[in-house]
Structure formats: C-alpha cells, structure tokens
Amino acid sequence: LYAGVKYLINARRQDAEEGRTASFLGSTGFRGAIPVVLTFVIILLYAIAFEPVGFIISSILCMFCQMWVLTPKSKFRPLRSAAISVVVAIVVYIAFKKGLDLSLPEGVLEGLPHL
C-alpha cells in the first residue's frame, strides 16, 4: 500500500514539474494503478490461503507474486525471486517456531518431520 501511494505521489510531482496538469492517477492514468490493485488482490488471496495452505507455501507464493508485480519487467529474474521467497519464508517460519515458540499454520505440510 505504501509503495502504491508513494508511486502516485511521485507521478503527480513529476507532472507538476513538467508542467502537465496533474490528474488523480498521475501521468500513467489507470495503468499506474494496476500494481496497487494487484497488491490488494495478492494480499487478499494470501489471507484466504494462509490457514488451509499453510504459512510456508502461502508466504512463498505471496512474496513471489509481489516481486513479479513490483519489479520492473526488464529486471525481474524468476529463479532469483523464487529462491529469495523460499529462503525468507522458511527462515521466518523457523524464527517464529523455534526462536519465539509461536506456532504458524502448517497447512498441507502438516505432519512433515522437522516442521
């Protein structure tokens, strides 16, 4: 949400600096709102999938999708984004489970050893 609002504010500032009439959505029009809308959809789907699918899988999917939406297309590397998503989700899960002794939903991974 913060990134989307910041993007819209910067678009309006750029419009003003270049002498264009600032519109509500900036110079990009509705196209500039697509990442914001997709972010809301991803977060909604994450909240829905969190309990039945589990923390690890839903977090991996959420992070990967966010990277896909927010990274410029010329710089997006799917394998790197997938690897980062997997490592971060597992590290956070271990930190909560072992370090803080808090349980997170295991979902479809329930019953696997070492979880």
Side-chain angles (χ1 to χ4, degrees):
L1 178 63
Y2 174 75
V5 171
K6 186 175 176 184
Y7 175 81
L8 293 175
I9 290 170
N10 286 337
R12 291 190 69 177
R13 185 175 298 132
Q14 185 178 5
D15 285 344
E17 290 172 357
E18 295 175 3
R20 292 184 296 221
T21 304
S23 66
F24 175 71
L25 294 171
S27 63
T28 58
F30 286 105
R31 188 181 66 222
I34 291 174
V36 177
V37 172
L38 286 176
T39 296
F40 280 116
V41 170
I42 291 168
I43 292 170
L44 178 66
L45 292 174
Y46 178 68
I48 292 169
F50 188 76
E51 191 70 35
V53 177
F55 174 80
I56 294 176
I57 294 175
S58 60
S59 294
I60 290 170
L61 293 173
C62 180
M63 281 187 276
F64 181 81
C65 291
Q66 279 301 120
M67 288 182 210
W68 176 65
V69 167
L70 297 176
T71 304
K73 301 308 173 208
S74 62
K75 295 183 179 184
F76 181 68
R77 304 288 181 261
L79 290 177
R80 182 180 63 190
S81 296
I84 291 170
S85 299
V86 168
V87 169
V88 170
I90 291 173
V91 167
V92 170
Y93 182 82
I94 291 171
F96 271 80
K97 184 85 170 184
K98 306 292 184 194
L100 299 173
D101 199 30
L102 297 171
S103 80
L104 294 169
E106 294 177 2
V108 296
L109 300 178
E110 187 173 352
L112 287 178
H114 306 298
L115 286 181

